[in-house]
Coordinates of all heavy atoms in Angstrom, one line a residue:
M1 N -12.4 -21.5 -11.0 CA -11.1 -21.3 -10.5 C -10.8 -22.5 -9.5 O -11.6 -22.9 -8.7 CB -11.0 -20.0 -9.6 CG -9.6 -19.7 -9.2 SD -9.4 -18.1 -8.4 CE -11.0 -17.3 -8.5
P2 N -9.7 -23.2 -9.7 CA -9.4 -24.3 -8.8 C -8.8 -23.9 -7.5 O -8.4 -22.7 -7.3 CB -8.2 -25.0 -9.6 CG -7.6 -24.0 -10.4 CD -8.6 -22.9 -10.7
C3 N -8.8 -24.8 -6.6 CA -8.2 -24.6 -5.2 C -6.7 -24.2 -5.4 O -6.0 -24.9 -6.2 CB -8.3 -25.8 -4.4 SG -7.4 -25.7 -2.8
F4 N -6.3 -23.2 -4.7 CA -4.9 -22.7 -4.9 C -3.9 -23.7 -4.3 O -2.7 -23.6 -4.7 CB -4.7 -21.3 -4.4 CG -4.4 -21.2 -2.9 CD1 -3.1 -21.2 -2.4 CD2 -5.5 -21.1 -2.0 CE1 -2.9 -21.1 -1.0 CE2 -5.2 -21.0 -0.6 CZ -3.9 -21.1 -0.2
R5 N -4.3 -24.5 -3.4 CA -3.4 -25.4 -2.7 C -3.2 -26.7 -3.5 O -2.1 -27.3 -3.7 CB -3.8 -25.7 -1.3 CG -3.7 -24.4 -0.4 CD -3.9 -24.7 1.0 NE -2.7 -25.3 1.7 CZ -2.6 -26.4 2.3 NH1 -3.6 -27.2 2.4 NH2 -1.5 -26.8 2.8
C6 N -4.4 -27.3 -3.8 CA -4.3 -28.7 -4.3 C -4.8 -28.7 -5.8 O -4.7 -29.8 -6.5 CB -5.2 -29.6 -3.5 SG -6.9 -29.4 -3.6
G7 N -5.3 -27.6 -6.3 CA -5.8 -27.6 -7.7 C -7.1 -28.3 -8.0 O -7.5 -28.4 -9.1
A8 N -7.8 -28.6 -6.9 CA -9.1 -29.3 -7.1 C -10.1 -28.3 -7.7 O -10.0 -27.1 -7.5 CB -9.6 -29.8 -5.8
R9 N -11.0 -28.8 -8.5 CA -12.0 -28.0 -9.2 C -13.2 -28.0 -8.3 O -13.6 -29.0 -7.7 CB -12.3 -28.6 -10.5 CG -11.2 -28.5 -11.5 CD -11.1 -27.2 -12.3 NE -9.9 -27.0 -13.0 CZ -9.6 -26.0 -13.7 NH1 -10.4 -24.9 -13.7 NH2 -8.5 -25.8 -14.3
Q10 N -13.8 -26.8 -8.3 CA -15.1 -26.7 -7.6 C -16.2 -27.5 -8.3 O -16.4 -27.3 -9.5 CB -15.5 -25.2 -7.6 CG -16.5 -24.9 -6.5 CD -16.7 -23.4 -6.3 OE1 -16.1 -22.6 -7.0 NE2 -17.3 -23.1 -5.2
T11 N -16.8 -28.4 -7.6 CA -17.8 -29.2 -8.2 C -19.1 -28.5 -8.3 O -19.2 -27.4 -7.7 CB -18.0 -30.5 -7.4 OG1 -18.1 -30.2 -6.0 CG2 -16.7 -31.4 -7.6
D12 N -20.1 -29.1 -8.9 CA -21.4 -28.5 -9.0 C -21.9 -27.9 -7.7 O -22.0 -28.6 -6.7 CB -22.4 -29.4 -9.6 CG -22.5 -30.7 -8.8 OD1 -21.4 -31.3 -8.6 OD2 -23.6 -31.0 -8.3
P13 N -22.2 -26.6 -7.7 CA -22.5 -25.9 -6.5 C -23.8 -26.4 -5.9 O -24.8 -26.5 -6.6 CB -22.5 -24.4 -6.9 CG -22.7 -24.5 -8.3 CD -22.1 -25.7 -8.9
V14 N -23.8 -26.7 -4.6 CA -25.0 -27.0 -3.9 C -25.7 -25.7 -3.6 O -25.1 -24.6 -3.5 CB -24.7 -27.7 -2.6 CG1 -26.0 -28.2 -1.9 CG2 -23.7 -28.8 -2.9
R15 N -27.0 -25.8 -3.5 CA -27.7 -24.5 -3.2 C -27.3 -24.0 -1.8 O -27.1 -24.8 -0.9 CB -29.2 -24.7 -3.2 CG -29.8 -24.6 -4.5 CD -31.3 -24.6 -4.4 NE -31.9 -24.4 -5.8 CZ -32.0 -23.2 -6.3 NH1 -31.6 -22.1 -5.7 NH2 -32.5 -23.0 -7.5
G16 N -27.2 -22.7 -1.7 CA -26.8 -22.1 -0.4 C -25.3 -21.7 -0.5 O -24.8 -21.6 -1.6
A17 N -24.8 -21.5 0.7 CA -23.4 -21.1 0.7 C -22.4 -22.1 0.3 O -22.6 -23.3 0.7 CB -23.1 -20.6 2.2
S18 N -21.5 -21.8 -0.5 CA -20.4 -22.7 -0.9 C -19.5 -23.0 0.2 O -19.1 -22.1 1.0 CB -19.7 -22.1 -2.1 OG -18.5 -22.9 -2.4
P19 N -19.1 -24.2 0.4 CA -18.1 -24.6 1.5 C -16.7 -24.0 1.1 O -15.8 -24.0 1.9 CB -18.1 -26.1 1.5 CG -18.5 -26.5 0.1 CD -19.5 -25.4 -0.4
W20 N -16.5 -23.6 -0.2 CA -15.2 -23.1 -0.6 C -15.1 -21.7 0.0 O -16.0 -20.9 0.0 CB -15.2 -23.0 -2.1 CG -15.0 -24.4 -2.7 CD1 -15.8 -25.5 -2.6 CD2 -13.9 -24.8 -3.6 NE1 -15.2 -26.5 -3.3 CE2 -14.1 -26.1 -3.9 CE3 -12.8 -24.1 -4.1 CZ2 -13.2 -26.8 -4.7 CZ3 -11.9 -24.8 -4.9 CH2 -12.1 -26.2 -5.3
K21 N -13.9 -21.4 0.4 CA -13.6 -20.0 0.9 C -12.8 -19.2 -0.1 O -12.0 -19.8 -0.9 CB -12.9 -20.1 2.2 CG -13.7 -20.5 3.3 CD -13.0 -20.4 4.6 CE -13.8 -21.0 5.8 NZ -15.1 -20.4 6.0
R22 N -13.0 -17.9 -0.1 CA -12.2 -17.1 -0.9 C -11.0 -16.4 -0.1 O -11.2 -16.3 1.1 CB -13.0 -15.9 -1.5 CG -14.1 -16.3 -2.5 CD -15.0 -15.2 -2.6 NE -16.1 -15.6 -3.5 CZ -16.1 -15.6 -4.8 NH1 -15.0 -15.1 -5.4 NH2 -17.1 -15.9 -5.5
G23 N -10.0 -16.2 -0.8 CA -8.9 -15.4 -0.1 C -8.1 -14.7 -1.2 O -8.4 -14.8 -2.4
V24 N -7.1 -14.0 -0.7 CA -6.2 -13.3 -1.6 C -4.8 -13.8 -1.3 O -4.4 -13.9 -0.2 CB -6.3 -11.8 -1.5 CG1 -5.2 -11.1 -2.3 CG2 -7.7 -11.3 -2.0
R25 N -4.1 -14.2 -2.4 CA -2.7 -14.7 -2.2 C -1.8 -13.9 -3.2 O -2.1 -14.0 -4.4 CB -2.7 -16.1 -2.4 CG -1.3 -16.8 -2.1 CD -1.5 -18.3 -2.1 NE -0.3 -19.0 -1.7 CZ 0.5 -19.7 -2.6 NH1 0.1 -19.8 -3.9 NH2 1.5 -20.3 -2.2
A26 N -0.8 -13.3 -2.7 CA 0.1 -12.5 -3.6 C -0.7 -11.6 -4.5 O -0.5 -11.5 -5.7 CB 1.0 -13.4 -4.4
D27 N -1.7 -11.0 -3.9 CA -2.6 -10.0 -4.6 C -3.4 -10.6 -5.7 O -3.9 -10.0 -6.6 CB -1.8 -8.8 -5.1 CG -1.2 -7.9 -4.0 OD1 -1.8 -8.0 -2.9 OD2 -0.3 -7.2 -4.3
R28 N -3.7 -11.9 -5.6 CA -4.6 -12.5 -6.5 C -5.7 -13.3 -5.8 O -5.4 -13.9 -4.8 CB -3.8 -13.5 -7.4 CG -2.7 -12.8 -8.2 CD -2.0 -13.8 -9.1 NE -2.8 -14.1 -10.3 CZ -2.4 -14.7 -11.3 NH1 -1.1 -15.2 -11.3 NH2 -3.1 -14.9 -12.4
Q29 N -6.9 -13.2 -6.4 CA -8.0 -13.9 -5.8 C -7.8 -15.4 -5.9 O -7.5 -15.9 -7.0 CB -9.3 -13.5 -6.5 CG -10.5 -14.0 -5.9 CD -11.0 -13.2 -4.6 OE1 -11.2 -12.0 -4.7 NE2 -11.1 -13.9 -3.5
V30 N -8.0 -16.1 -4.8 CA -7.9 -17.6 -4.8 C -9.1 -18.2 -4.1 O -9.8 -17.5 -3.4 CB -6.6 -18.0 -4.2 CG1 -5.3 -17.5 -5.0 CG2 -6.5 -17.6 -2.7
L31 N -9.2 -19.5 -4.4 CA -10.2 -20.2 -3.7 C -9.6 -21.4 -2.9 O -8.5 -21.9 -3.3 CB -11.2 -20.9 -4.7 CG -12.2 -19.9 -5.3 CD1 -13.0 -20.7 -6.4 CD2 -13.1 -19.3 -4.3
I32 N -10.2 -21.7 -1.8 CA -9.6 -22.8 -1.0 C -10.7 -23.8 -0.8 O -11.8 -23.6 -0.4 CB -9.3 -22.3 0.4 CG1 -8.2 -21.2 0.3 CG2 -8.6 -23.5 1.2 CD1 -8.8 -19.8 0.4
C33 N -10.5 -25.1 -1.2 CA -11.5 -26.2 -1.2 C -11.7 -26.6 0.2 O -10.9 -26.4 1.1 CB -11.0 -27.3 -2.1 SG -9.7 -28.4 -1.3
P34 N -12.9 -27.2 0.5 CA -13.2 -27.7 1.8 C -12.1 -28.6 2.4 O -11.8 -28.6 3.6 CB -14.5 -28.4 1.7 CG -15.1 -27.9 0.4 CD -13.9 -27.5 -0.5
G35 N -11.5 -29.4 1.6 CA -10.4 -30.4 2.0 C -9.2 -29.6 2.6 O -8.7 -29.9 3.6
C36 N -8.8 -28.6 1.8 CA -7.6 -27.8 2.3 C -7.9 -27.0 3.5 O -7.0 -26.5 4.2 CB -7.1 -27.0 1.1 SG -6.3 -28.0 -0.1
Q37 N -9.2 -26.7 3.7 CA -9.5 -25.9 4.9 C -9.3 -26.7 6.2 O -9.2 -26.1 7.2 CB -11.0 -25.4 4.8 CG -11.2 -24.4 3.7 CD -12.7 -24.1 3.6 OE1 -13.5 -24.2 4.5 NE2 -13.1 -23.8 2.3
T38 N -9.2 -28.0 6.0 CA -8.9 -28.8 7.2 C -7.5 -29.0 7.5 O -7.0 -29.5 8.5 CB -9.6 -30.2 7.1 OG1 -9.0 -30.9 6.1 CG2 -11.1 -30.0 6.9
A39 N -6.6 -28.5 6.4 CA -5.2 -28.7 6.6 C -4.6 -27.6 7.5 O -5.3 -26.7 7.9 CB -4.6 -28.5 5.2
R40 N -3.4 -27.8 7.8 CA -2.7 -26.9 8.7 C -2.7 -25.5 8.2 O -2.5 -25.2 7.0 CB -1.2 -27.3 8.9 CG -0.5 -27.2 7.5 CD 1.0 -27.4 7.6 NE 1.5 -27.3 6.2 CZ 1.9 -26.1 5.7 NH1 1.8 -25.0 6.3 NH2 2.3 -26.1 4.4
D41 N -3.0 -24.6 9.1 CA -3.0 -23.2 8.9 C -3.0 -22.7 7.4 O -2.1 -22.1 6.9 CB -1.8 -22.6 9.6 CG -1.9 -21.1 9.7 OD1 -3.0 -20.6 9.7 OD2 -0.9 -20.4 9.8
W42 N -4.1 -23.1 6.7 CA -4.2 -22.6 5.3 C -4.2 -21.1 5.2 O -3.8 -20.5 4.2 CB -5.4 -23.3 4.6 CG -6.7 -23.0 5.2 CD1 -7.3 -23.7 6.2 CD2 -7.5 -21.9 5.0 NE1 -8.4 -23.2 6.6 CE2 -8.7 -22.0 5.9 CE3 -7.5 -20.8 4.2 CZ2 -9.7 -21.1 5.9 CZ3 -8.5 -19.9 4.2 CH2 -9.6 -20.0 5.0
A43 N -4.9 -20.5 6.2 CA -5.0 -19.1 6.1 C -3.7 -18.3 6.2 O -3.5 -17.2 5.8 CB -6.0 -18.6 7.2
G44 N -2.7 -19.1 6.8 CA -1.4 -18.5 6.9 C -0.7 -18.4 5.6 O 0.4 -17.7 5.5
E45 N -1.2 -19.0 4.6 CA -0.6 -18.9 3.2 C -1.2 -17.8 2.4 O -0.9 -17.6 1.3 CB -0.8 -20.3 2.5 CG 0.0 -21.4 3.2 CD -0.3 -22.7 2.5 OE1 -0.4 -22.7 1.3 OE2 -0.3 -23.8 3.2
L46 N -2.2 -17.2 3.0 CA -2.9 -16.1 2.3 C -2.4 -14.7 2.7 O -1.8 -14.6 3.8 CB -4.4 -16.2 2.6 CG -5.1 -17.5 2.1 CD1 -6.5 -17.5 2.5 CD2 -5.0 -17.6 0.6
D47 N -2.7 -13.8 1.9 CA -2.4 -12.4 2.3 C -3.3 -12.0 3.5 O -4.4 -12.5 3.6 CB -2.7 -11.4 1.2 CG -1.6 -11.6 0.1 OD1 -0.7 -12.4 0.2 OD2 -1.7 -10.8 -0.9
R48 N -2.8 -11.1 4.4 CA -3.6 -10.8 5.5 C -3.8 -9.2 5.4 O -3.1 -8.5 4.8 CB -2.8 -11.0 6.8 CG -2.5 -12.4 7.1 CD -3.8 -13.3 7.1 NE -3.4 -14.6 7.6 CZ -3.7 -15.0 8.9 NH1 -4.2 -14.2 9.7 NH2 -3.4 -16.3 9.2
C49 N -5.0 -8.8 6.0 CA -5.3 -7.4 6.1 C -4.2 -6.8 7.0 O -3.9 -7.2 8.1 CB -6.7 -7.2 6.7 SG -7.1 -5.5 7.1
S50 N -3.7 -5.6 6.5 CA -2.7 -4.9 7.3 C -3.3 -4.2 8.5 O -2.5 -3.8 9.3 CB -1.9 -4.0 6.4 OG -2.8 -3.1 5.8
A51 N -4.6 -4.0 8.4 CA -5.2 -3.3 9.6 C -5.6 -4.2 10.7 O -5.4 -3.9 11.8 CB -6.4 -2.5 9.0
C52 N -6.3 -5.3 10.3 CA -6.9 -6.2 11.4 C -6.3 -7.6 11.3 O -6.6 -8.4 12.2 CB -8.4 -6.2 11.3 SG -9.0 -7.2 9.9
G53 N -5.5 -8.0 10.3 CA -4.9 -9.3 10.3 C -5.8 -10.4 9.7 O -5.4 -11.5 9.6
S54 N -7.0 -10.0 9.3 CA -7.9 -11.0 8.8 C -7.5 -11.5 7.4 O -6.8 -10.8 6.6 CB -9.3 -10.4 8.6 OG -10.2 -11.2 7.9
A55 N -7.7 -12.8 7.1 CA -7.4 -13.4 5.8 C -8.6 -13.4 4.9 O -8.5 -13.9 3.8 CB -6.9 -14.8 6.0
V56 N -9.7 -12.8 5.4 CA -10.9 -12.7 4.6 C -10.8 -11.5 3.7 O -11.4 -10.4 4.0 CB -12.2 -12.7 5.4 CG1 -13.4 -12.8 4.6 CG2 -12.1 -13.8 6.5
L57 N -10.1 -11.7 2.6 CA -9.9 -10.5 1.7 C -10.5 -10.8 0.3 O -10.7 -12.0 -0.1 CB -8.4 -10.3 1.5 CG -7.6 -10.1 2.8 CD1 -6.1 -9.9 2.4 CD2 -8.1 -8.9 3.6
V58 N -10.9 -9.8 -0.4 CA -11.3 -9.9 -1.8 C -10.4 -9.1 -2.6 O -10.0 -8.0 -2.2 CB -12.7 -9.6 -2.0 CG1 -13.6 -10.6 -1.4 CG2 -13.1 -8.2 -1.5
C59 N -10.0 -9.5 -3.8 CA -9.2 -8.8 -4.8 C -10.1 -8.3 -5.9 O -10.7 -9.1 -6.6 CB -8.1 -9.6 -5.3 SG -6.9 -8.7 -6.2
R60 N -10.2 -7.0 -6.1 CA -10.9 -6.4 -7.2 C -9.9 -5.6 -8.0 O -8.7 -5.5 -7.7 CB -12.0 -5.5 -6.7 CG -13.1 -6.3 -6.0 CD -14.3 -5.3 -6.0 NE -14.3 -4.5 -4.8 CZ -15.0 -4.8 -3.7 NH1 -15.7 -5.9 -3.7 NH2 -14.9 -4.1 -2.7
L61 N -10.4 -5.0 -9.0 CA -9.6 -4.2 -10.0 C -8.5 -3.4 -9.2 O -8.8 -2.3 -8.7 CB -10.4 -3.4 -10.8 CG -11.4 -4.1 -11.7 CD1 -12.4 -3.1 -12.3 CD2 -10.7 -4.9 -12.8
G62 N -7.3 -3.9 -9.1 CA -6.2 -3.1 -8.6 C -6.4 -2.8 -7.1 O -5.7 -2.0 -6.5
E63 N -7.2 -3.6 -6.4 CA -7.5 -3.2 -5.0 C -7.8 -4.5 -4.2 O -8.4 -5.4 -4.7 CB -8.7 -2.3 -4.9 CG -8.8 -1.5 -3.6 CD -9.9 -0.5 -3.8 OE1 -11.0 -0.9 -3.9 OE2 -9.6 0.8 -3.7
V64 N -7.3 -4.6 -3.0 CA -7.6 -5.7 -2.1 C -8.4 -5.1 -0.9 O -7.9 -4.2 -0.3 CB -6.3 -6.3 -1.6 CG1 -6.6 -7.5 -0.6 CG2 -5.5 -6.9 -2.8
E65 N -9.5 -5.7 -0.7 CA -10.4 -5.2 0.4 C -10.6 -6.2 1.4 O -10.8 -7.4 1.1 CB -11.8 -4.8 -0.2 CG -12.7 -4.2 0.9 CD -14.1 -3.9 0.4 OE1 -14.2 -3.7 -0.9 OE2 -15.0 -3.9 1.1
C66 N -10.5 -5.8 2.7 CA -10.8 -6.7 3.8 C -12.3 -6.8 4.0 O -13.0 -5.7 4.2 CB -10.1 -6.2 5.1 SG -10.5 -7.1 6.5
R67 N -12.8 -8.0 4.1 CA -14.2 -8.2 4.3 C -14.6 -8.0 5.8 O -15.8 -7.9 6.1 CB -14.7 -9.6 3.9 CG -14.5 -9.8 2.4 CD -15.2 -8.9 1.5 NE -16.6 -9.0 1.7 CZ -17.4 -9.8 1.1 NH1 -16.9 -10.7 0.2 NH2 -18.7 -9.8 1.2
D68 N -13.6 -8.0 6.6 CA -13.9 -7.9 8.1 C -14.0 -6.5 8.5 O -14.9 -6.1 9.3 CB -12.9 -8.6 8.9 CG -13.2 -10.1 8.9 OD1 -14.2 -10.5 8.5 OD2 -12.3 -10.9 9.4
C69 N -13.0 -5.6 8.1 CA -12.9 -4.3 8.6 C -13.1 -3.2 7.5 O -13.2 -2.1 7.7 CB -11.7 -4.0 9.4 SG -10.2 -3.9 8.4
G70 N -13.1 -3.7 6.2 CA -13.3 -2.8 5.1 C -12.1 -2.0 4.7 O -12.1 -1.2 3.8
H71 N -10.9 -2.4 5.3 CA -9.7 -1.7 4.9 C -9.3 -2.1 3.5 O -9.5 -3.3 3.1 CB -8.5 -2.1 5.9 CG -7.2 -1.6 5.5 ND1 -6.3 -2.3 4.8 CD2 -6.7 -0.4 5.8 CE1 -5.2 -1.5 4.6 NE2 -5.4 -0.4 5.2
T72 N -8.9 -1.1 2.7 CA -8.4 -1.5 1.3 C -7.0 -1.0 1.1 O -6.5 -0.1 1.8 CB -9.3 -0.8 0.3 OG1 -9.2 0.7 0.5 CG2 -10.8 -1.2 0.4
R73 N -6.4 -1.7 0.2 CA -5.0 -1.3 -0.2 C -4.9 -1.6 -1.7 O -5.6 -2.4 -2.2 CB -4.0 -2.1 0.6 CG -4.0 -3.6 0.3 CD -2.8 -4.3 1.0 NE -2.9 -5.8 0.9 CZ -2.5 -6.5 -0.1 NH1 -2.0 -5.8 -1.2 NH2 -2.6 -7.8 -0.1
D74 N -3.9 -0.9 -2.3 CA -3.6 -1.2 -3.7 C -3.0 -2.5 -3.9 O -2.1 -2.9 -3.1 CB -2.7 -0.1 -4.2 CG -3.4 1.3 -4.3 OD1 -4.6 1.3 -4.3 OD2 -2.7 2.3 -4.3
A75 N -3.5 -3.3 -4.9 CA -2.8 -4.5 -5.2 C -1.6 -4.3 -6.1 O -1.6 -3.2 -6.7 CB -3.8 -5.4 -5.9
A76 N -0.7 -5.2 -6.1 CA 0.5 -5.0 -6.9 C 0.0 -5.1 -8.4 O -0.9 -5.8 -8.7 CB 1.5 -6.1 -6.6
P77 N 0.7 -4.3 -9.2 CA 0.4 -4.4 -10.7 C 0.4 -5.8 -11.2 O 1.2 -6.6 -10.8 CB 1.5 -3.5 -11.3 CG 2.0 -2.6 -10.3 CD 1.8 -3.4 -9.0
A78 N -0.5 -6.1 -12.1 CA -0.6 -7.5 -12.6 C 0.6 -8.0 -13.2 O 0.9 -9.2 -13.0 CB -1.7 -7.5 -13.6
D79 N 1.5 -7.2 -13.8 CA 2.7 -7.7 -14.4 C 3.7 -8.2 -13.4 O 4.6 -9.0 -13.7 CB 3.3 -6.7 -15.4 CG 3.6 -5.4 -14.7 OD1 3.0 -5.1 -13.7 OD2 4.5 -4.7 -15.2
L80 N 3.5 -7.7 -12.1 CA 4.5 -8.1 -11.1 C 4.1 -9.4 -10.5 O 4.9 -10.3 -10.3 CB 4.5 -7.1 -10.0 CG 5.2 -5.8 -10.3 CD1 5.3 -4.9 -9.1 CD2 6.6 -6.0 -10.8
V81 N 2.8 -9.7 -10.4 CA 2.3 -10.9 -9.8 C 2.2 -12.0 -10.8 O 2.1 -13.1 -10.5 CB 1.0 -10.7 -9.0 CG1 1.2 -9.9 -7.8 CG2 0.0 -10.1 -9.9
H82 N 2.2 -11.6 -12.1 CA 2.0 -12.6 -13.1 C 3.0 -13.7 -13.1 O 2.7 -14.9 -13.5 CB 2.0 -11.9 -14.5 CG 1.2 -12.7 -15.5 ND1 -0.2 -12.8 -15.5 CD2 1.6 -13.4 -16.6 CE1 -0.6 -13.6 -16.5 NE2 0.4 -14.0 -17.2
S83 N 4.2 -13.4 -12.7 CA 5.3 -14.4 -12.7 C 5.2 -15.3 -11.4 O 6.2 -16.0 -11.3 CB 6.7 -13.7 -12.8 OG 6.8 -12.8 -11.7
G84 N 4.2 -15.1 -10.7 CA 4.1 -15.8 -9.4 C 3.9 -17.3 -9.7 O 3.9 -17.8 -10.8
A85 N 3.5 -18.0 -8.6 CA 3.4 -19.5 -8.7 C 2.2 -19.8 -9.6 O 1.1 -19.1 -9.5 CB 3.2 -20.0 -7.3
P86 N 2.3 -20.8 -10.4 CA 1.1 -21.3 -11.2 C 0.1 -21.9 -10.3 O 0.4 -22.5 -9.3 CB 1.7 -22.3 -12.1 CG 2.9 -22.8 -11.4 CD 3.4 -21.6 -10.6
P87 N -1.2 -21.7 -10.6 CA -2.2 -22.3 -9.7 C -2.1 -23.8 -9.7 O -1.8 -24.4 -10.7 CB -3.5 -21.9 -10.4 CG -3.2 -21.5 -11.8 CD -1.7 -21.0 -11.7
G88 N -2.3 -24.4 -8.5 CA -2.2 -25.8 -8.4 C -0.7 -26.3 -8.6 O -0.5 -27.4 -9.0
G89 N 0.2 -25.5 -8.2 CA 1.6 -25.9 -8.3 C 2.0 -27.0 -7.3 O 1.2 -27.9 -7.1
S90 N 3.1 -26.8 -6.7 CA 3.6 -27.8 -5.8 C 2.7 -27.9 -4.5 O 2.7 -28.9 -3.8 CB 5.1 -27.5 -5.4 OG 5.1 -26.4 -4.6
G91 N 2.0 -26.8 -4.2 CA 1.2 -26.8 -3.0 C 2.1 -26.6 -1.8 O 1.6 -26.7 -0.7
D92 N 3.3 -26.2 -2.0 CA 4.2 -26.1 -0.8 C 4.0 -24.6 -0.2 O 4.0 -23.7 -1.0 CB 5.6 -26.3 -1.2 CG 6.5 -26.5 -0.1 OD1 6.5 -25.6 0.8 OD2 7.2 -27.5 0.0
G93 N 4.0 -24.5 1.0 CA 3.8 -23.2 1.7 C 4.9 -22.3 1.5 O 4.8 -21.1 1.6
D94 N 6.1 -22.8 1.1 CA 7.3 -21.9 1.0 C 7.1 -21.0 -0.2 O 7.7 -20.0 -0.3 CB 8.5 -22.8 0.7 CG 8.9 -23.5 2.0 OD1 8.4 -23.1 3.1 OD2 9.7 -24.4 1.9
L95 N 6.2 -21.4 -1.1 CA 6.0 -20.7 -2.4 C 5.6 -19.2 -2.1 O 6.1 -18.3 -2.7 CB 5.0 -21.4 -3.2 CG 5.4 -21.5 -4.7 CD1 6.9 -21.9 -4.9 CD2 4.5 -22.5 -5.4
S96 N 4.6 -19.1 -1.2 CA 4.1 -17.8 -0.9 C 5.2 -16.8 -0.3 O 5.2 -15.7 -0.6 CB 2.9 -17.9 0.0 OG 3.3 -18.5 1.3
A97 N 6.0 -17.4 0.5 CA 7.1 -16.6 1.0 C 8.1 -16.2 -0.1 O 8.6 -15.1 -0.1 CB 7.9 -17.4 2.1
E98 N 8.3 -17.1 -1.0 CA 9.2 -16.8 -2.1 C 8.6 -15.6 -2.9 O 9.3 -14.7 -3.3 CB 9.3 -18.0 -3.0 CG 10.7 -18.7 -2.8 CD 10.7 -20.0 -3.7 OE1 10.5 -19.8 -4.9 OE2 10.9 -21.0 -3.2
V99 N 7.3 -15.8 -3.2 CA 6.6 -14.8 -4.0 C 6.7 -13.4 -3.3 O 6.9 -12.4 -3.9 CB 5.2 -15.2 -4.3 CG1 4.4 -14.0 -5.0 CG2 5.2 -16.4 -5.2
A100 N 6.4 -13.5 -2.0 CA 6.4 -12.2 -1.2 C 7.8 -11.6 -1.3 O 8.0 -10.4 -1.4 CB 6.0 -12.5 0.2
A101 N 8.8 -12.4 -1.1 CA 10.2 -11.9 -1.2 C 10.5 -11.3 -2.5 O 11.1 -10.2 -2.6 CB 11.2 -13.0 -0.8
A102 N 10.1 -12.0 -3.5 CA 10.3 -11.5 -4.9 C 9.6 -10.1 -5.1 O 10.2 -9.2 -5.7 CB 9.9 -12.5 -5.9
L103 N 8.4 -10.1 -4.6 CA 7.7 -8.9 -4.8 C 8.3 -7.7 -4.0 O 8.5 -6.6 -4.5 CB 6.2 -9.0 -4.2 CG 5.2 -9.5 -5.2 CD1 3.9 -9.8 -4.5 CD2 5.0 -8.6 -6.3
T104 N 8.8 -8.0 -2.8 CA 9.4 -7.0 -2.0 C 10.7 -6.5 -2.8 O 10.9 -5.2 -2.9 CB 9.9 -7.5 -0.7 OG1 8.7 -8.1 0.0 CG2 10.4 -6.4 0.2
R105 N 11.4 -7.4 -3.3 CA 12.6 -7.0 -4.1 C 12.3 -6.1 -5.2 O 12.9 -5.1 -5.4 CB 13.3 -8.3 -4.6 CG 14.3 -8.9 -3.6 CD 15.3 -9.8 -4.3 NE 14.7 -10.8 -5.2 CZ 14.3 -12.0 -4.7 NH1 14.4 -12.3 -3.4 NH2 13.7 -12.9 -5.5
V106 N 11.3 -6.5 -6.0 CA 10.9 -5.7 -7.2 C 10.4 -4.4 -6.8 O 10.8 -3.3 -7.4 CB 9.8 -6.5 -8.0 CG1 9.2 -5.6 -9.1 CG2 10.4 -7.8 -8.6
L107 N 9.6 -4.3 -5.7 CA 9.0 -3.1 -5.3 C 10.0 -2.1 -4.8 O 10.0 -0.9 -5.0 CB 7.9 -3.3 -4.3 CG 6.7 -4.0 -4.8 CD1 5.7 -4.3 -3.7 CD2 5.9 -3.1 -5.8
K108 N 11.1 -2.6 -4.2 CA 12.1 -1.8 -3.7 C 13.0 -1.3 -4.7 O 13.5 -0.1 -4.7 CB 13.0 -2.6 -2.7 CG 12.4 -2.5 -1.3 CD 13.3 -3.3 -0.3 CE 12.7 -3.3 1.1 NZ 13.3 -4.3 2.0
K109 N 13.4 -2.2 -5.7 CA 14.4 -1.8 -6.6 C 13.8 -1.2 -7.9 O 14.6 -0.7 -8.7 CB 15.2 -3.1 -7.0 CG 16.0 -3.6 -5.8 CD 16.6 -4.9 -6.1 CE 17.9 -4.8 -7.0 NZ 18.6 -6.0 -7.1
G110 N 12.5 -1.4 -8.1 CA 12.0 -0.9 -9.3 C 12.1 -1.9 -10.4 O 12.6 -3.0 -10.2
P111 N 11.6 -1.6 -11.6 CA 11.5 -2.6 -12.7 C 12.9 -3.0 -13.3 O 13.0 -4.0 -14.0 CB 10.7 -1.9 -13.7 CG 10.8 -0.5 -13.5 CD 11.1 -0.3 -12.0
A112 N 14.0 -2.3 -13.0 CA 15.3 -2.6 -13.6 C 15.7 -4.1 -13.2 O 15.6 -4.4 -12.0 CB 16.3 -1.7 -13.1
V113 N 16.2 -4.8 -14.2 CA 16.6 -6.2 -13.9 C 18.1 -6.2 -14.1 O 18.6 -5.9 -15.1 CB 15.9 -7.2 -14.9 CG1 16.4 -8.6 -14.6 CG2 14.4 -7.1 -14.8
Ligands
ZN201 ZN1 -7.6 -27.8 -2.0
ZN202 ZN1 -9.2 -5.9 8.0

C-alpha cells in the first residue's frame, strides 16, 4: 500500500518497527510514509477516534478500532467510500474534507441520487 499523501511505496522493510504509520482516512486503512510524517499536521487529515480523538486507528472488516482506547465504530459501507479520492492523488488536504462532506450528504439523504 502506498503512502496516502504522496503515493510513495514502502521500501524493503528493515527489521524491527516500520517507520511507516497506519491510519484510517474516510474509513479506509492508509499508510503514511516517514517523509509525510514530518509534514504539517498529517494526522489532521486522518479520521479521529470519536471517543478520545486519537488518529491511531485501524480499519477492519466493517469496523474502525482505536488503538489508544479501544473504541470501535462501524465503518461506512465500502460502496460509499469507493468513490473517494484515489490513493496518491493530488495530496491536497482539502480532499478529505470533500470526502467527509460527501459521506455526510449520502448518509443523511440515503442512496437516492
Ligand atoms: Zn508520503
Ligand atoms: Zn480512542
